[in-house]
Amino acid sequence: MTAASVPVRAERVEAPYEGRTALLVHGGAWAIPDDAVEAHRSGIEHAVAKGRALLRHGRPALDVVTDVVAFLEADPTFDAGCGARLDRDGRAQLDAGLMDGTTLAWGAVANVRRLAHPIRVAGMLLHHDGQARLLVAEGAERFAAERGMELIDNEALITEAEQARFEQLHADHTRFHTSREFSGLEADPHGTVGCIALDQAGHLAAATSTGGASYTHPGRVGDSPLVGCGYYATAQAAASATGWGEAIAAVLLCGRTVDTVASGTSPERAAAERLQHMAASITNPQGEPATGGLITLDASGRGGVAYTTPRMARGSWAEGGAIRVAV
Ligand code: ASP
């Protein structure tokens, strides 16, 4: 298959029937195995229901995306917070970022190993004095601890399934001397989580959190905490992405998607076009097109989803309508 012929699946999310509020949630785009579909579906459904309740209570979009992503960080089904992929040292390293579309304030943490909820620390940085918006590793953990957040053991983020995955990769690496590093293959597990929301005041926000990719070099940071790459929001649109982080960063996927929506393209078409552009522009070392998934929402509550992978865990709700979930 040539890069230019990559099939991108795209779907529209209805605008609110009454009032304005809406939200979209994702839990990664990859070849989610059949036996994991139900856990993904249930996790996304509960996350959307949580976001809906918050929006109905009049909470700001920024709080909604933070709480929904924190909820998914606690669900070991997804690759964020507890359940993160393990790096080559067998440790979890987490990245997260979020943005307020009204003020363009953003906050992010990268390569943290002792925080259960990196998205909450990213939120503290957004509300901080603006001198630092992205903190990494021990500096981010110290910032969090100074503000009363508990520092946990790295082991608390590691599930049995991820430990087993690590041991398999490590054995292959040692035995065959293969550098079986993450390289954007669609079969590689992803499970980054993201949420975008439009609140009663018409404000948009976006948040993304990840445990990165399996067996990466310690210290590797992907797109998820990088503003304009794994998330972006303005007064016109918001977006959150998942997939091969190095490719997503190279094409500024969320920033460009937001601009494309702002210039009048429908959200589902904008998401599909930007993903198609990424897949056509970048191939992994095996020569396969870059893979990923994307959710986007405009200021009138119209949403769009697009992905190049066999499956994407996703859900949405718009005021007056029902919760929709698909994997
Ligand atoms: N984009 C994430 C990263 O590269 C991985 C993912 O979406 O699953 O760190």
Side-chain angles (χ1 to χ4, degrees), residues 186-272:
E186 76 175 19
D188 281 334
H190 298 271
T192 294
V193 304
C195 179
I196 50 180
L198 173 71
D199 65 22
Q200 287 180 7
H203 297 152
L204 288 156
T208 301
S209 182
T210 191
S214 303
Y215 216 66
T216 53
H217 201 289
R220 178 258 182 189
V221 173
D223 60 301
S224 305
L226 304 181
V227 65
C229 303
Y231 63 99
Y232 202 66
T234 65
Q236 285 81 38
S240 170
T242 177
W244 182 18
E246 283 69 13
I248 292 170
V251 298
L252 303 171
L253 188 59
C254 286
R256 284 192 173 160
T257 300
V258 162
D259 280 352
T260 306
V261 173
S263 70
T265 307
S266 71
E268 75 276 12
R269 183 140 178 237

Side-chain angles (χ1 to χ4, degrees), residues 139-162:
E141 290 162 2
R142 205 198 307 168
F143 174 88
E146 283 166 4
R147 279 151 189 83
M149 195 159 276
E150 185 193 356
L151 297 187
I152 59 168
D153 290 337
N154 193 252
E155 290 73 40
L157 300 169
I158 301 177
T159 60
E160 270 178 32
E162 290 308 322

